Amino acid sequence: RLLSSEITLPLILRHRENGDRIIIKNMQDSRKIKDIFIDNKVPIIERNKLWLLTDSSGQILWIPGVKKSKFDKELNEKYDIILKYIKKEKEYE
């Protein structure tokens, strides 16, 4: 769940790039995507296959099946975009 006024549309799905960072939900500082994959024990072979959702300014909003960013809203908060990810058999949360 996202609030369109906090991000820059359109949304973009892409694979990771060197130096990618995300501000994880309920955290203040950004973290490297590489470190998040290591912490979540995502195999090296799978890391380049996973998708990242960004806004058009390049902010990483979500790593489906792995982590949500500070832009993710709770049900009781205001939001106007709903994203759905259907999990595969194997996830790294």
Side-chain angles (χ1 to χ4, degrees):
R1 294 169 295 273
L2 301 169
L3 182 59
S4 60
S5 64
E6 294 182 350
I7 59 176
T8 308
L9 297 173
L11 301 179
I12 300 165
L13 268 177
R14 67 168 175 84
H15 295 290
R16 73 181 177 141
E17 298 171 357
N18 287 337
D20 274 342
R21 299 181 77 85
I22 185 174
I23 300 175
I24 298 171
K25 187 173 184 170
N26 300 321
M27 292 186 72
Q28 300 261 338
D29 299 324
S30 66
R31 295 212 43 227
K32 291 180 184 177
I33 299 298
K34 173 186 170 184
D35 294 340
I36 291 168
F37 286 164
I38 290 168
D39 292 348
N40 285 277
K41 298 179 177 30
V42 177
I44 293 173
I45 294 171
E46 297 298 318
R47 293 177 193 175
N48 290 331
K49 295 178 186 176
L50 291 177
W51 292 99
L52 307 177
L53 180 72
T54 72
D55 68 2
S56 63
S57 71
Q59 286 191 107
I60 298 174
L61 307 174
W62 188 27
I63 310 168
V66 181
K67 286 288 178 196
K68 295 177 181 179
S69 76
K70 70 175 186 172
F71 298 100
D72 181 60
K73 302 295 178 195
E74 298 295 330
L75 285 173
N76 62 344
E77 294 180 286
K78 181 180 177 184
Y79 59 90
D80 57 1
I81 299 173
I82 299 173
L83 302 169
K84 186 172 183 177
Y85 175 68
I86 303 191
K87 292 184 178 185
K88 292 182 181 180
E89 186 175 309
K90 189 173 188 180
E91 292 297 326
Y92 305 99
E93 260 184 303

